[in-house]
Amino acid sequence: MDNNVNPKVSVILSIYNGEKFLEESTDSILNQTFKDFEIIIINDGSQDESLKIIRKYKDKRIILINNKKNLGFAKSFDKGLKIAKGKYIAICTQDDISHPKRLEIELNYLEKNNHIFLVGTSAIYIDEKGKEIRRFRKYDDYKILAWRLRKSCGIIFPSIMFRNKDVSFDGHYEYNLYRKLIKRGENLTNIPNFLIKYRVHPNAESATTKEKQEKLRDEVIEKFKEIKDPTTFSDKIRYSIKLLLHYIRTISEKKII
């Protein structure tokens, strides 16, 4: 990639003491079939070998930001967003693995669907050793997702790509970002492709900060009440049936797998 030309995609990866799986996660981005991207890596005050691991890479697409102290993922991602040059932003996390065609598929989807601002994907949940635990197949319906987001966070954060237009975390976590986008009238959706392997382990941030995240989730659900819900009673019945059928198909798929 020519450094004088803006890349099509900016990938943002914030890391904190992520040495165990960091190399595997980073390689999964650098080895994408789609090549026109930069990867902004924020080392958020790590006290392990994370910074040393990143500095071993000689890929010109890597932009390193080294926080002297831990700021937390929201502030770190905002630092990345401020310097991102891409038309689109993709999120990556230190524990998870991206499918080789992830960026290509998500980019093509957003290019073909101008009414969609942000897209997430289905995910394969894996354990520390990379063994599959279960699968979460998502549905592609932005109206259903806008309705469901009022009650639960139905988008897998490390799978998302969105348009680089006035986006920030503002010190909160990803669920609040989705709320802000819905409030300003953006459409968010998922696609059924399994484009990430989401790692579940005891030291993952989602596990170590579970209580804090549950509190933040409740705050976001409360704030959603300030946004008018356009969903009619008949819509809710129709959406509920679609979700039930989707759930049944997913259960059957898991049994086959």
Side-chain angles (χ1 to χ4, degrees), residues 111-123:
E111 292 274 85
K112 293 175 181 177
N113 295 276
N114 292 325
H115 64 294
I116 300 297
F117 186 87
L118 177 150
V119 64
T121 78
S122 299

Side-chain angles (χ1 to χ4, degrees), residues 6-228:
N6 289 349
K8 195 80 169 181
V9 176
S10 295
V11 181
I12 301 179
L13 165 60
S14 177
I15 57 177
Y16 177 67
N17 293 345
E19 62 180 6
K20 189 169 184 179
F21 307 111
L22 180 56
E23 191 170 352
E24 189 174 12
S25 177
T26 304
D27 287 347
S28 75
I29 293 296
L30 294 176
N31 295 325
Q32 291 286 303
T33 55
F34 179 80
K35 303 298 183 183
D36 185 15
F37 66 87
E38 63 181 359
I39 175 168
I40 302 168
I41 301 178
I42 304 101
N43 176 47
D44 192 20
S46 296
Q47 298 174 2
D48 63 358
E49 297 294 308
S50 293
L51 182 59
K52 185 177 181 180
I53 291 170
I54 293 302
R55 282 180 168 162
K56 288 181 180 179
Y57 288 95
K58 303 304 178 185
D59 197 304
K60 293 182 179 180
R61 294 172 295 181
I62 294 177
I63 299 169
L64 176 62
I65 298 174
N66 187 30
N67 295 341
K68 298 301 181 183
K69 63 178 182 178
N70 180 254
L71 300 179
F73 101 92
K75 290 182 179 179
S76 290
F77 274 114
D78 277 343
K79 288 181 75 171
L81 285 168
K82 286 179 181 178
I83 67 168
K85 298 177 181 178
K87 179 181 179 182
Y88 300 100
I89 304 291
I91 297 297
C92 178
T93 54
Q94 65 190 24
D95 301 323
D96 308 314
I97 304 168
S98 293
H99 187 283
K101 288 190 175 183
R102 176 194 162 189
L103 297 185
E104 178 184 340
I105 292 172
E106 290 181 318
L107 173 68
N108 288 339
Y109 185 93
L110 290 173
E111 292 274 85
K112 293 175 181 177
N113 295 276
N114 292 325
H115 64 294
I116 300 297
F117 186 87
L118 177 150
V119 64
T121 78
S122 299
I124 300 171
Y125 279 44
I126 59 175
D127 62 17
E128 287 185 272
K129 297 181 179 179
K131 182 180 179 181
E132 181 175 328
I133 301 172
R134 59 187 181 277
R135 295 192 177 196
F136 282 89
R137 181 180 289 279
K138 298 295 185 176
Y139 48 86
D140 183 358
D141 191 318
Y142 69 90
K143 292 182 180 179
I144 291 180
L145 187 57
W147 173 56
R148 290 301 301 155
L149 279 170
R150 294 173 174 272
K151 296 296 181 182
S152 62
C153 185
I155 303 174
I156 299 171
F157 179 62
S159 76
I160 65 173
M161 179 183 286
F162 52 88
R163 302 180 191 277
N164 190 5
K165 296 179 181 178
D166 190 26
V167 175
S168 65
F169 287 86
D170 294 332
H172 219 293
Y173 84 131
E174 65 269 18
Y175 193 10
N176 193 55
L177 170 64
Y178 308 150
R179 180 195 66 83
K180 291 196 303 176
L181 293 176
I182 292 289
K183 184 177 181 179
R184 80 182 197 194
E186 306 290 5
N187 295 323
L188 324 179
T189 196
N190 287 304
I191 54 178
N193 308 64
F194 290 95
L195 298 182
I196 68 157
K197 291 183 178 180
Y198 185 93
R199 196 183 304 271
V200 180
H201 62 96
N203 295 321
E205 184 176 16
S206 58
T208 58
T209 62
K210 183 178 180 180
E211 185 175 335
K212 179 181 178 182
Q213 290 196 39
E214 288 178 349
K215 181 180 178 181
L216 292 173
R217 178 202 62 200
D218 292 342
E219 288 178 6
V220 175
I221 290 174
E222 193 64 28
K223 287 181 180 180
F224 255 114
K225 294 178 181 179
E226 301 169 3
I227 307 173
K228 184 179 179 181

Side-chain angles (χ1 to χ4, degrees), residues 230-247:
T231 313
T232 64
F233 179 75
S234 60
D235 285 336
K236 291 177 182 178
I237 296 295
R238 184 159 48 87
Y239 294 167
S240 295
I241 293 172
K242 282 188 174 182
L243 287 172
L244 177 60
L245 292 174
H246 171 79
Y247 177 75

